[in-house]
Amino acid sequence: QLVESGGGLVQPGGSLRLSCTASGFTFSNYDMTWVRQAPGKGLEWVSGINTSGSNTRYADSVKGRFTISRDNAANTLYLQMNSLKPEDTAVYYCANSALRGQGTQVTISS
């Protein structure tokens, strides 16, 4: 199971930190990703991290603003989001090759 938290309503330029807590599987064995779905649009890959956390990747749309990280001891994946823009408004999901969470809503609006 994957459970996201940390979403909310933030003004443009603000920050949020999303968390994704894993249970029921060996978290440290899986590469993890964040994906998002904006209203009326399809799923968009946002960021990925390998099992150890040593390799991270970002979509061009978030590069330099978002940081993905993980704590394998705590079975938790994070997404630090800075300099948020209205176009970042979406439901954010964490996922691995087998599971996807229920999502957390992020709304960027003044």
Side-chain angles (χ1 to χ4, degrees):
Q1 185 181 9
L2 296 169
V3 179
E4 301 92 340
S5 61
L9 172 63
V10 176
Q11 292 186 342
S15 297
L16 280 174
R17 189 193 197 199
L18 305 184
S19 298
C20 169
T21 302
S23 62
F25 66 97
T26 306
F27 178 71
S28 58
N29 285 353
Y30 286 83
D31 293 348
M32 296 296 298
T33 64
W34 286 98
V35 297
R36 67 186 181 185
Q37 187 165 26
K41 297 187 177 181
L43 280 175
E44 176 190 14
W45 176 81
V46 174
S47 183
I49 189 167
N50 67 344
T51 54
S52 67
S54 63
N55 186 27
T56 58
R57 295 167 292 122
Y58 299 92
D60 287 344
S61 57
V62 307
K63 199 171 295 183
R65 301 187 298 120
F66 290 11
T67 302
I68 190 171
S69 62
R70 66 191 296 163
D71 182 344
N72 285 340
N75 292 334
T76 304
L77 177 73
Y78 302 101
L79 187 67
Q80 177 67 44
M81 306 188 296
N82 298 328
S83 303
L84 285 161
K85 305 175 181 180
E87 51 264 43
D88 294 319
T89 294
V91 178
Y92 284 72
Y93 302 89
C94 63
N96 62 23
S97 58
L99 292 171
R100 190 177 79 189
Q102 85 291 345
T104 186
Q105 176 70 49
V106 171
T107 303
I108 312 303
S109 175
S110 55

